[in-house]
Amino acid sequence: FNSNWNFEKFQYQFKIPEEKSLVIKNAIEKINFKEKPKNKINLIYHTTPWRGLTHLLKVFKNLNLENVELNVCSSTIIYGKKFDDSLGKKYENIFNECKSIKNINYLGFVDNSKILELLKEMHIFAHPSIWPETSCVSAIEAMAAGCEVVGSNLGALYETCAPFGTLISFDRNFENFEKKYQKILLNSIKNFWSKENQKKLKLQRETINLIYSWDARSIEWKNFFEEARKVKK
């Protein structure tokens, strides 16, 4: 399993045997830090549209801030042409709305290597998640690049982002959810350059690059395969 939350849910629901279960978390390539631009605050949403993009757009329009831009890297093509042909039209209106809102740059599908470079220019990963993530590589990469994660605590996001992420409690009343999210997003934008926040983000990127890197995770996988071979024998 890629998180303890994921394992616990399966264990509770399906009563899987604990002795046959193992948690090995996701991993990323280390991301070199680059000083963030200081002339504006760049937000990014770089995951699929059904994870909370509709709510982010409402919040962003309500904030209506100068010198704050939202970059949306989202598309159904990420799961292949067949998937896009089947579900792409369902989200066309959301993507068209992105193109029509002031200070939003709709970038569509962006290759991961380019996402990693883009994250170096971003300040905040805006992710009001309504989807129970089992881990969230997007959040891990954003934190490694020195971005503040402003999201919800749904699914494994709390486990993945703790103790660095700024998270609201999930609320199925989406009007309440958006109000709470708007408040913490505005606060994070205003306080991004504070001394305390910069100290936290420095510790964050150093910690995430250390504990989520393939340097660390590969050892766990090697140990797992060694144990598996012993069992097989």
Side-chain angles (χ1 to χ4, degrees):
F1 299 88
N2 60 355
S3 67
N4 291 290
W5 179 89
N6 193 11
F7 160 65
E8 289 169 1
K9 292 300 179 185
F10 268 81
Q11 204 284 322
Y12 176 80
Q13 184 69 34
F14 303 112
K15 304 298 185 290
I16 60 172
E18 292 94 335
E19 71 274 11
K20 293 184 178 180
S21 303
L22 179 68
V23 174
I24 299 182
K25 296 188 176 183
N26 284 323
I28 62 167
E29 298 293 342
K30 291 182 179 180
I31 300 176
N32 296 326
F33 180 67
K34 180 180 177 181
E35 290 293 332
K36 307 290 185 183
K38 295 195 175 179
N39 60 325
K40 61 182 176 181
I41 294 291
N42 292 320
L43 313 181
I44 188 169
Y45 178 96
H46 58 300
T47 185
T48 51
W50 54 83
R51 284 172 164 84
L53 181 55
T54 299
H55 305 288
L56 177 59
L57 295 183
K58 290 181 183 178
V59 168
F60 189 76
K61 283 191 291 185
N62 287 339
L63 288 175
N64 192 29
L65 298 171
E66 296 295 328
N67 296 322
V68 177
E69 291 187 359
L70 169 61
N71 299 273
V72 177
C73 307
S74 187
S75 172
T76 53
I77 195 67
I78 190 171
Y79 293 125
K81 186 177 185 303
K82 186 175 179 180
F83 186 92
D84 185 51
D85 290 341
S86 175
L87 288 176
K89 290 188 180 299
K90 181 178 179 180
Y91 299 98
E92 275 186 357
N93 289 339
I94 298 175
F95 298 144
N96 287 333
E97 186 178 3
C98 290
K99 298 171 186 176
S100 67
I101 300 174
K102 176 186 175 186
N103 287 350
I104 290 185
N105 304 312
Y106 177 67
L107 304 175
F109 172 77
V110 179
D111 185 79
N112 183 250
S113 61
K114 294 180 180 178
I115 287 284
L116 298 182
E117 290 303 312
L118 186 61
L119 284 172
K120 296 178 183 180
E121 304 286 336
M122 299 295 109
H123 301 82
I124 295 172
F125 173 29
H127 187 34
S129 180
I130 61 170
W131 184 267
E133 304 272 7
T134 59
S135 174
C136 193
V137 174
S138 295
I140 297 168
E141 290 177 339
M143 290 189 293
C147 301
E148 184 167 4
V149 175
V150 181
S152 76
N153 66 353
L154 186 61
L157 281 174
Y158 176 79
E159 178 183 340
T160 301
C161 299
F164 302 108
T166 303
L167 308 175
I168 62 168
S169 57
F170 179 70
D171 194 329
R172 294 187 189 280
N173 182 321
F174 288 136
E175 185 176 343
N176 291 340
F177 180 73
E178 289 163 6
K179 286 179 180 178
K180 288 191 292 184
Y181 187 77
Q182 182 170 319
K183 184 176 180 180
I184 68 160
L185 180 59
L186 178 59
N187 186 64
S188 293
I189 291 170
K190 287 182 175 179
N191 292 303
F192 183 84
W193 289 111
S194 69
K195 183 178 179 180
E196 293 79 8
N197 194 53
Q198 289 301 303
K199 186 176 180 180
K200 180 194 80 169
L201 292 177
K202 182 177 185 294
L203 179 60
Q204 169 192 288
R205 66 177 186 264
E206 290 173 350
T207 302
I208 297 300
N209 275 299
L210 177 66
I211 66 174
Y212 278 103
S213 76
W214 276 110
D215 291 343
R217 198 67 70 245
S218 62
I219 296 172
E220 295 180 42
W221 278 105
K222 288 175 183 177
N223 291 338
F224 166 67
F225 289 132
E226 285 297 322
E227 290 298 317
R229 276 196 285 268
K230 290 178 184 177
V231 172
K232 189 175 180 181
K233 291 178 182 178

